[in-house]
Amino acid sequence: MQGPVEKGLVVRVTGGEVWVDLAGRLVPCALRGRMRHGDGTRVVAGDRVTVTPPARAGEAGAIEAVGERASLLSRYVERVEGERPIVANVDELFVVATLTSPPLQHAFVDRLLASAEQGGVRSAVVLNKLDLCRAEEVEAFTSVYTAGGYPVLATSAHTGEGTEALARRLGGGVYAFVGASGVGKTSLLMRLDPRLDLKTRELGERTGRGRHTTTFSQLYRFSGGWLADTPGAQTFGFPGSDALDLVRCFPEFAEPGARCRFHPCTHSHEPGCGVKAAAESGAVPATRYQSYLQILGEIEERRRRRAR
Ligand code: GDP
Ligand code: ZN
């Protein structure tokens, strides 16, 4: 006889198994019937599921239903010429950047923010290594991102400055920290939760079945909630293929976009474009507009390739 179903959270997906947290117990589960997807990756970390727990220890439970997703962070992967999901239901994505060492890459930050927007993920920008920045540089950086409505938190993982404000944003939800290598993500995470066992994270990756699984995220217990481990990508392809989707992923374009002569407008070649004019006057940050044009170029290039 089967027991009652329980609600759980998917923390890891390997070859054919889905590991679900059921009130603190980590239970392997199998997907039932139609929900099984070729390689078993139809569900991703962060999915909320309904499970029939295993009758005996050592057996697998069964996933009966997958809850609707509030958001899905995904990216475009060049090698497979398609979008790949990373993690579902992230409550806040923290995009970490530095001004120097490594030098700021606006384009990378903007690409991550736009990809989060596309997946319906709320995000904030973290400017780390505050101890290496001058106050006026921090102000200039902050104004670029507050223009798009993003909270900006300036921190130093070394001195601890600003990390309390960051900690206050964390609750029992699912969080992810992304950004270029060397910006101090690991240092910040250790500040926020010294118990976060980064050794275990590495071990988990090695014991994972099937190489393809490493591109998917896993969740780790973190500061009362969960931390999504995101693939360490130097490049992060915008997971959309439509110029008008991309426009919506730059929130500060909405207001000047209402003044464009043509509707819809891709804010690139069209005469009388309100966004282009705003970027020229500085009302829209120039770096944000440049990032937009760069991603737009990539989307168009993909489309040309597909048409060939
Ligand atoms: P990750 O690649 O993003 O995980 O970055 P790490 O946490 O490994 O940090 C990269 C380097 O930057 C290390 O040498 C850290 O000690 C250093 N670092 C991290 N945070 C800060 C900071 O707030 N200030 C300074 N000056 N250095 C930092
Ligand atoms: Zn326009």
Side-chain angles (χ1 to χ4, degrees):
M1 206 191 80
Q2 285 186 337
V5 295
E6 289 180 34
K7 291 208 182 297
L9 174 69
V10 174
V11 300
R12 175 177 162 86
V13 181
T14 62
E17 258 164 348
V18 180
W19 292 81
V20 178
D21 178 87
L22 288 178
R25 256 188 329 144
L26 194 58
V27 177
C29 292
L31 281 168
R32 277 211 201 279
R34 276 183 304 124
M35 276 180 293
R36 181 191 289 279
H37 197 257
D39 53 1
T41 55
R42 178 90 168 264
V43 300
V44 293
D47 268 322
R48 310 272 167 183
V49 290
T50 307
V51 167
T52 297
R56 277 173 291 275
E59 292 181 357
I63 294 177
E64 308 292 348
V66 181
E68 223 171 279
R69 289 169 177 157
S71 69
L72 180 67
L73 182 68
S74 53
R75 63 171 172 161
Y76 180 84
V77 179
E78 200 68 49
R79 192 173 43 83
V80 297
E81 295 193 5
E83 288 159 28
R84 284 292 173 269
I86 299 171
V87 54
N89 302 319
V90 166
D91 291 281
E92 189 153 39
L93 177 78
F94 295 97
V95 177
V96 187
T98 50
L99 295 182
T100 53
S101 94
L104 175 60
Q105 296 172 267
H106 270 300
F108 191 46
V109 171
D110 296 340
R111 177 181 294 280
L112 292 168
L113 290 173
S115 301
E117 292 283 350
Q118 174 73 359
V121 182
R122 184 165 68 121
S123 36
V125 179
V126 177
L127 179 63
N128 190 40
K129 308 202 185 185
L130 186 54
D131 54 298
L132 304 179
C133 304
R134 290 201 313 271
E136 60 271 25
E137 293 171 328
V138 175
E139 227 166 84
F141 176 90
T142 301
S143 66
V144 167
Y145 290 100
T146 49
Y150 299 103
V152 178
L153 296 106
T155 61
S156 169
H158 272 190
T159 68
E161 200 179 350
T163 54
E164 271 173 31
L166 182 53
R168 278 196 297 275
R169 296 188 78 84
L170 305 172
V174 178
Y175 307 94
F177 285 71
V178 293
S181 170
V183 295
K185 295 181 295 297
T186 310
S187 310
L188 275 174
L189 293 171
M190 294 310 289
R191 266 256 174 208
L192 293 165
D193 184 358
R195 289 165 310 174
L196 185 68
D197 190 350
L198 298 174
K199 284 226 178 65
T200 314
R201 292 175 64 190
E202 281 159 22
L203 204 73
E205 251 146 57
R206 269 202 300 278
T207 55
R209 285 186 215 160
R211 289 186 158 260
H212 67 284
T213 60
T214 56
T215 55
F216 297 102
S217 192
Q218 292 184 54
L219 302 185
Y220 300 91
R221 291 199 169 281
F222 171 65
S223 178
W226 297 92
L227 174 73
D229 182 25
T230 50
Q234 287 306 310
T235 57
F236 196 104
F238 177 76
S241 50
D242 188 82
L244 299 179
D245 280 344
L246 181 62
V247 168
R248 279 190 289 275
C249 292
F250 283 75
E252 68 270 53
F253 291 5
E255 196 245 340
R259 292 190 293 271
C260 294
R261 191 182 303 161
F262 297 99
H263 293 279
C265 180
T266 67
H267 314 314
S268 50
H269 59 276
E270 297 90 343
C273 173
V275 173
K276 194 171 183 203
E280 279 161 4
S281 77
V284 156
T287 54
R288 293 277 294 162
Y289 184 60
Q290 281 156 16
S291 297
Y292 167 79
L293 291 179
Q294 196 186 82
I295 302 170
L296 182 65
E298 287 169 14
I299 292 177
E300 286 170 347
E301 172 60 28
R302 276 183 221 159
R303 182 166 295 173
R304 273 195 294 276
R305 245 181 306 165
R306 264 200 302 268
R308 255 180 241 143

